[in-house]
Amino acid sequence: MKIAIVGLGYVGLPLSLQFAKSGVEVLGLDIDPDKVSSLNRGHSYIHHIQSEDINVQLKAGRFSASTDFSGVRQVAAVIICVPTPLSKNREPDMSYIIKTGESIAPHLHEGILVVLESTTYPGTTDEDLRQVLESGSGLKAGKDFHLAFSPEREDPGNPDSKVALIPKIVGGYTAACRDKALALYSHAIKTVVPVSSCRAAEATKLLENIFRSVNIALVNELKVVYAAMGIDVWEVIQAARTKPFGYMAFYPGPGLGGHCIPIDPFYLTWKAREYSQATRFIELAGEINTAMPEYVVQRVIEALNARRKPANGSRVLLLGLAYKADVDDLRESPTFKLLDLLKMRGADVAYYDPYIPVIGPTREHAEWKGLESVPWDRQSIGSFDVVLIATAHRNVDYRELAEWAETIVDTRNALAGVKTKPGQVWKA
Ligand SMILES: NC(=O)c1ccc[n+]([C@@H]2O[C@H](COP(=O)([O-])OP(=O)(O)OC[C@H]3O[C@@H](n4cnc5c(N)ncnc54)[C@H](O)[C@@H]3O)[C@@H](O)[C@H]2O)c1
């Protein structure tokens, strides 16, 4: 069997390799010619995906990448994994899905299956995508070709999270579409979970991400309240998680990051307006999580103040630029917000991140392009007035940090269990 996977990013690339490993021939399609040629040379551009894994599949003839969408004519199924960001006004940006639909529509043929994986609001697959595919191909969904939605559940940076072992939700435009999609994923994924429609599958993914956003907001709020009472929220969470039922641990931080949690809930907020429905939990969680960088910066200012130093002119090192530990993904990273806020107050800012030696081009933070990670040694780290831990990569030596840095503001409890000096560490 041969399939096409459109969008060879953090979702599409591992999925392509998983299908290839399962014996399915995969044509990877992307509009970025650099990514395509790098993949065809066997080079991974994502830290946690090994070049070796790509090479094995290239050599076996089970994976190739291309920018030519006419290859869709030769495949039994197309899986779409393109970005779904928010526009400047925080509205869903459907342009990537629509453009992909337009690119593949002329090449659709009778019996082909099209599955959307990008996170989005209910109705995207059976309204927006279906219309583009039908008008561009002259074929009818559910009659001439199959259409389904199956959300991605990637956990980047978690070595125990294997694509094949994460159950896959599948909803079809018709029951036949669903069965076709279930059969496709069964080649590569151990457990497939059918739901009644594309919309139910789209809504499932949103529930999962809204659940995270709301629970992170809850512990972020409790962090601030408990800190005012002299209580360490990290200690409280550790204690609460000993309860064997009815509790699930979430952890506070300097603000939301990544492609999903800060963005996806607002896809539902936007769509809910069409039905005159309010999404108050989503809005409140967004408000609390968005306020976190400002709270953290206030803690940095307090920490400097305790050393009789003003923020203006102080040297501040941001430790961790990636939005989460052990990955090189800096999309929506709150560290950018922290850099901006500290710079606004006159601080002389720098960063250290073992996974990001230099800041490349980004959609929203062009002004930081070209900034390089500082060296990791006593002289370099010791030259800062304060080190702010924004992301707790596991390969950072926090004992060395405690030895070298005068003052540390820790938003991740990274220094738990590390010997520190009195007054050296400020939790935030
Ligand atoms: N990254 C995650 O951990 C994660 C987890 C779950 C769900 N998702 C969702 O999966 C989707 C994809 O996310 P991602 O992280 O893989 O994004 P990404 O930016 O890493 O990759 C998207 C890829 O699509 C390509 N692309 C853009 N427009 C295209 C087009 N018109 N035709 C072909 N290719 C095109 C880009 O060049 C890029 O290589 C999003 O909807 C996201 O919300 C992501």
Side-chain angles (χ1 to χ4, degrees), residues 6-13 29-32 35 45-46 69 80-85 95-101 103 117-120 151-156 205 209 259-260 263-264 323 329 331 363:
V6 187
L8 298 172
Y10 283 82
V11 168
L13 184 55
L29 294 171
D30 204 290
I31 47 167
D32 183 340
K35 271 186 194 171
Y45 53 88
I46 297 176
F69 285 67
I80 302 171
C81 312
V82 295
T84 42
S95 62
Y96 298 88
I97 292 180
I98 300 302
K99 280 204 188 95
T100 301
S103 309
E117 287 218 5
S118 306
T119 309
T120 183
E152 176 53 43
R153 283 169 159 172
E154 175 70 349
D155 187 10
K205 174 70 186 178
N209 284 358
H259 192 315
C260 300
I263 293 173
D264 304 342
Y323 80 88
D329 188 348
R331 289 176 293 177
R363 243 180 272 170

Side-chain angles (χ1 to χ4, degrees), residues 69-148:
F69 285 67
S70 67
V72 166
R73 288 168 199 268
Q74 275 90 49
V75 300
V78 184
I79 300 177
I80 302 171
C81 312
V82 295
T84 42
L86 289 174
S87 70
K88 271 208 159 63
N89 301 328
R90 302 193 69 73
E91 293 193 340
D93 176 356
M94 301 303 288
S95 62
Y96 298 88
I97 292 180
I98 300 302
K99 280 204 188 95
T100 301
E102 288 167 354
S103 309
I104 63 173
H107 312 295
L108 293 186
H109 51 81
E110 293 257 344
I112 195 169
L113 165 68
V114 179
V115 189
L116 180 63
E117 287 218 5
S118 306
T119 309
T120 183
Y121 54 76
T124 305
T125 309
D126 65 17
E127 282 172 5
D128 312 58
L129 181 61
R130 181 175 63 84
Q131 276 165 19
V132 180
L133 295 177
E134 289 184 346
S135 64
S137 67
L139 301 173
K140 282 267 167 248
K143 187 169 154 276
D144 306 317
F145 70 95
H146 300 284
L147 183 62

Side-chain angles (χ1 to χ4, degrees), residues 160-171:
D160 302 325
S161 173
K162 303 266 180 284
V163 177
L165 301 180
I166 304 171
K168 200 106 176 68
I169 304 289
V170 176

